[in-house]
Amino acid sequence: MRAYIERTRLVNRDCNFVVAEQFEEALKEARNVDRILDSNEIPQEFSYQNAPFLGVPTSVKEAFALKGKFSA
């Protein structure tokens, strides 16, 4: 995750494609998911079948509204 963030910040200087950073929130969420996955009982919502891309960093085009983040 840190490599993704560092690369995004580096490239964004020239491309300006990130308009709203949420890196700290992403790191906090990643730590929480790591704790869940390290536990003995993994909830079904975090199973490979239900969340095959769990842990893969992503970004969302500002054309999409995100609940609690941006107004549509």
Side-chain angles (χ1 to χ4, degrees):
M1 188 60 135
R2 291 192 190 283
Y4 174 83
I5 292 169
E6 289 175 21
R7 182 68 179 162
T8 299
R9 285 183 171 151
L10 177 67
V11 174
N12 196 52
R13 293 176 195 159
D14 295 326
C15 300
N16 196 33
F17 61 91
V18 175
V19 297
E21 291 183 3
Q22 295 181 271
F23 297 138
E24 293 307 314
E25 294 92 337
L27 289 169
K28 183 177 178 181
E29 186 175 331
R31 285 190 293 272
N32 186 46
V33 169
D34 283 345
R35 279 193 294 275
I36 291 169
L37 295 178
D38 287 341
S39 71
N40 290 331
E41 294 185 30
I42 299 173
Q44 190 64 23
E45 67 185 290
F46 293 106
S47 70
Y48 180 75
Q49 292 78 17
N50 290 329
F53 295 106
L54 183 65
V56 177
T58 189
S59 60
V60 177
K61 179 102 173 101
E62 76 274 2
F64 297 98
L66 297 176
K67 185 177 180 179
K69 301 298 177 188
F70 305 102
S71 299

